[in-house]
Amino acid sequence: MSKHFLIVDDSSSIRQMVEHTLKTAGYQVTAAEDGQDALDKCQSASYDCVLTDQNMPRMDGLTLIRSLRAQANYKSTPILVLTTEASDDMKAQGKSAGATGWMVKPFDPQRLLEVAAKVLG
């Protein structure tokens, strides 16, 4: 059975590009349009990896990460951030929140797949 990703981004075009990249590589993908939508989806399903944007309406990526890390079933789930935020300060905040990795947009599909394979072991 293939690994299941939850991708979280308020941009439908980014969600579509990431979804296409991951599905082409054989992963299952569920999409959420912001952190609150993702948190709601995580209440009723389990994911092997979460890939989230940082800047989104209703709930940002760092708040989502902290909320997921507070749940027993997401304490060790890889959570990657894919964002336009490139500052060292934001990366440090992401690490402190519990992010597994940080990638800056625009993303390289091959690099995304390499990181996905690495964090999923």
Side-chain angles (χ1 to χ4, degrees):
M1 183 170 197
S2 65
K3 300 289 186 179
H4 195 173
F5 272 80
L6 176 62
I7 56 172
V8 190
D9 201 304
D10 58 326
S11 166
S12 63
S13 60
I14 294 292
R15 287 194 310 269
Q16 290 172 355
M17 287 189 291
V18 171
E19 185 172 355
H20 175 76
T21 298
L22 294 172
K23 282 186 170 180
T24 300
Y27 294 108
Q28 290 182 281
V29 176
T30 297
E33 56 189 45
D34 59 41
Q36 185 60 57
D37 187 24
L39 199 56
D40 293 344
K41 285 179 167 54
C42 287
Q43 303 306 313
S44 58
S46 181
Y47 301 96
D48 299 300
C49 186
V50 177
L51 177 66
T52 183
D53 187 14
Q54 163 52 20
N55 299 314
M56 299 178 286
R58 296 200 308 159
M59 180 186 292
D60 64 36
L62 294 181
T63 303
L64 171 63
I65 293 168
R66 289 186 193 100
S67 298
L68 290 175
R69 291 297 187 218
Q71 299 179 23
N73 54 336
Y74 283 96
K75 282 197 179 299
S76 61
T77 300
I79 302 176
L80 302 171
V81 179
L82 178 62
T83 180
T84 57
E85 298 282 351
S87 73
D88 289 341
D89 180 56
M90 284 302 298
K91 291 177 185 176
Q93 288 183 48
K95 185 174 182 179
S96 177
T100 307
W102 192 279
M103 294 180 288
V104 177
K105 296 175 185 172
F107 75 97
D108 173 2
Q110 186 59 41
R111 178 71 180 136
L112 174 62
L113 293 176
E114 290 169 3
V115 171
K118 182 178 178 181
V119 298
L120 291 170

